[in-house]
Amino acid sequence: MRVDSGQLYIDGAFREAADGRRAEVVNPATGDAMGSMAQGGAVDARAAVDAATRAFAAWAATPAPERAAVLRKAADLILQRRDAIAALMTREQGKPLRESAGEVTMTADYFQWNAEEARRIYGDIIPASTRAKRLLVLRQPVGVTAAITPWNFPASMIGRKLAPALAAGCTAVLKPAPATPLVACAILQCLHDAGLPAGVANLVAGPAEPIGEVFLTDARVRKISFTGSTAVGKMLLGRAAEQMKKVSLELGGHAPFLVFPDADLDQAVEGVVSSRYRNAGQTCICANRLYVHEDIAATFSQRLAARVQSLRVGRGDDPSVDVGPLIGAAAVERVRAQVEDGLARGGRLLCGGEPLPGPGYFFQPTVIADLPPDALLRNQETFGPLLGLWSFRDEAEAIALANDTPYGLAAYLYTRDLGRAVRVSEALEYGIVGVNDPVPATVQAPFGGVKESGMGREGGYEGLLGFLETKFVSLAVPS
Ligand code: ADP
């Protein structure tokens, strides 16, 4: 299979969709087709669920070290192919090559870490109240699982879902985002080449609704793991209730980034830039609202604006580029609308503010200060290189402003005061807090949100637990 001509992967084989449909995949840096992908539908999704169901019993019964060996091998292959997968990712998704390479490494790390952890899925023996019983707790794989992934991290989101699912002994059907199916094929190819038995992992790309409908209505699918928008997440949660499927949801965010007057300001400027402008701002844990203490707000905003203006925007395959394209025209339009709304409401433009002429979907890295509370940028997830900046008076106000949102995924604070770091971290209503750390996500730690940012955690041991059911066995033991 050519890397720019993707196929579905069902029951251990790459193949075309049942009805033969294909769609172009667009390079967001040029707006041109860079490849094409088979477009599966309900028939293909059903075939994948059939295969995953057939494969489940044997995979679940495979000794953990053997499951682990396959995952480790897959991790090795992903690393061996890192440069090729990263180049493909940059063409398909747009992010700068070094970010793509970092993401491929992290993807391998998900498989490696979960391979190690597969051997440590322990149960419990609980002391009974009588000599005539033994109380055992078993952890067993939940069964066939569905994974729905977004385009912003087209490889690592697959690692984050498939690695713990397979480590736990589950089988899986993956539906990648329509914009980035080719990287998904490359990862599934590594699993295939690592010797994963047929049907254990399957890939069905194509339009979301018919495939999603199979996941929601086929009772054999016992869990849906979703990363994407809050709107789709709410729909999936509601519909999953019909069959009481397990769900884990990693949804939108609107991260506050607090800079206290005792912070190392150079580090804080770099932290904001890394958090907001990495992946062109298309990260669910990106800083969206910057709150700076009033004593340092003027200096800080000048320094930040100068730094943001120095970022080079362009094609991700140019090594000098810091900020690549957005995923498509609608993404540019969304950022433009937030800028226009902000300026119309009296916001102060500190830098940027305009889309860049094509080809490709580029927007200048932008900062707007002093927006009113009802501005779109203050309330709606941006998913682009645009940041809002406000000032605050004291710690209590900073916490109140930070928590004033229905979202609760990630929050950041910069301070050198240990007491403040502890107090504020504890008070932030978020699933993830970065203290002087703009990139908190890592494979061995739980990642996920509170409030409307989702439920369940991915990564770390909690991520693995999400693919396990607890079974209690009460054993009567005659004396
Ligand atoms: P975004 O706006 O970031 O693309 P979405 O929530 O629309 O976020 O997409 C995230 C993932 O969810 C993608 O793989 C997308 O195809 C999928 N998706 C979107 N709508 C549905 C749906 N109705 N059922 C199942 N999956 C869906």
Side-chain angles (χ1 to χ4, degrees):
M1 185 175 62
R2 292 194 358 234
V3 293
D4 58 357
S5 175
Q7 292 182 311
L8 313 184
Y9 181 66
I10 299 173
D11 206 11
F14 283 93
R15 53 157 107 157
E16 291 299 312
D19 64 8
R21 277 199 304 148
R22 300 188 65 81
E24 282 185 345
V25 179
V26 171
N27 178 342
T30 62
D32 295 332
M34 49 76 67
S36 71
M37 180 68 196
Q39 296 295 292
V43 171
D44 304 284
R46 193 81 64 192
V49 174
D50 288 346
T53 304
R54 281 193 302 273
F56 174 66
W59 183 245
T62 300
E66 288 177 35
R67 290 203 303 269
V70 177
L71 299 187
R72 255 197 328 271
K73 178 91 175 86
D76 290 346
L77 290 172
I78 291 168
L79 282 182
Q80 279 167 25
R81 299 173 191 176
R82 176 174 53 198
D83 292 349
I85 300 174
L88 177 66
M89 188 185 299
T90 291
R91 278 195 297 140
E92 187 178 46
Q93 196 269 354
K95 67 181 66 178
L97 257 180
R98 66 176 170 280
E99 289 185 30
S100 295
E103 183 181 337
V104 176
T105 303
M106 191 171 190
T107 308
D109 221 9
Y110 275 114
F111 284 99
Q112 177 68 35
W113 194 88
N114 281 284
E116 293 160 2
E117 209 59 19
R119 304 171 57 134
R120 290 185 272 279
I121 298 174
Y122 303 135
D124 299 304
I125 300 174
I126 303 172
S129 310
T130 154
R131 288 174 189 219
K133 285 194 179 194
R134 302 292 182 273
L135 310 181
L136 315 180
V137 177
L138 312 183
R139 309 244 188 268
Q140 296 182 310
V142 302
V144 175
T145 63
I148 301 176
T149 51
W151 47 263
N152 59 339
F153 288 95
S156 62
M157 293 303 102
I158 294 174
R160 192 186 268 178
K161 293 182 191 307
L162 288 197
L166 305 190
C170 296
T171 56
V173 181
L174 164 69
K175 192 206 85 61
T180 54
L182 298 177
V183 166
C185 290
I187 301 299
L188 271 284
Q189 182 78 56
C190 292
L191 283 166
H192 176 82
D193 294 346
L196 191 73
V200 173
N202 305 272
L203 163 73
V204 184
E209 284 78 11
I211 299 169
E213 195 60 25
V214 171
F215 293 168
L216 286 165
T217 56
D218 191 320
R220 297 172 298 173
V221 175
R222 293 312 314 145
K223 166 161 180 152
I224 299 177
S225 172
F226 171 78
T227 298
S229 61
T230 295
V232 174
K234 286 181 178 176
M235 180 283 289
L236 292 173
L237 179 61
R239 295 283 315 281
E242 290 163 19
Q243 294 181 344
M244 206 54 81
K245 293 179 197 288
K246 277 175 165 306
V247 282
S248 79
L249 302 170
E250 201 266 274
L251 308 177
H254 206 278
F257 194 114
L258 312 178
V259 183
F260 288 95
D262 54 58
D264 177 323
L265 296 193
D266 291 332
Q267 268 183 22
V269 166
E270 287 312 309
V272 173
V273 168
S274 159
S275 174
R276 172 73 280 183
Y277 300 99
R278 183 169 51 101
N279 202 9
Q282 303 170 114
T283 302
C284 46
I285 60 169
C286 271
N288 222 137
R289 291 173 287 138
L290 174 61
Y291 296 109
V292 183
H293 189 271
E294 59 188 11
D295 290 351
I296 54 165
T299 330
F300 192 83
S301 48
Q302 267 172 14
R303 282 161 74 168
L304 178 68
R307 178 71 180 95
V308 172
Q309 260 169 335
S310 78
L311 294 172
R312 269 182 62 90
V313 182
R315 291 175 58 130
D317 55 10
D318 172 347
S320 69
V321 156
D322 303 299
V323 179
L326 298 184
I327 193 68
V332 173
E333 185 46 37
R334 183 182 168 95
V335 177
R336 204 190 54 71
Q338 287 198 356
V339 170
E340 211 165 77
D341 168 82
L343 298 182
R345 289 170 196 271
R348 249 182 331 117
L349 186 66
L350 298 187
C351 61
E354 300 282 341
L356 294 171
Y361 309 111
F362 295 93
F363 203 97
Q364 292 173 330
T366 302
V367 184
I368 303 181
D370 305 330
L371 289 161
D374 56 352
L376 282 181
L377 171 57
R378 167 69 186 75
N379 299 289
Q380 190 186 72
E381 190 177 19
T382 301
F383 244 62
L386 163 64
L387 180 68
L389 187 154
W390 294 263
S391 61
F392 64 86
R393 276 188 309 279
D394 56 27
E395 200 174 294
E397 189 189 27
I399 292 167
L401 287 167
N403 287 341
D404 181 22
T405 169
Y407 292 108
L409 186 55
Y412 304 87
L413 66 132
Y414 272 62
T415 179
R416 282 183 288 201
D417 177 331
L418 183 59
R420 170 172 282 151
V422 172
R423 283 192 305 274
V424 178
S425 303
E426 288 174 354
L428 288 168
E429 295 167 357
Y430 288 84
I432 301 161
V433 177
V435 181
N436 301 324
D437 181 3
V439 282
T442 177
V443 299
Q444 60 272 55
F447 184 105
V450 301
K451 294 159 80 178
E452 294 194 19
S453 288
M455 56 180 57
R457 293 293 180 272
E458 294 186 314
Y461 189 64
E462 287 185 65
L464 195 58
L465 275 183
F467 290 93
L468 293 164
E469 290 282 13
T470 297
K471 179 181 286 176
F472 167 48
V473 178
S474 180
L475 194 62
V477 181
S479 46

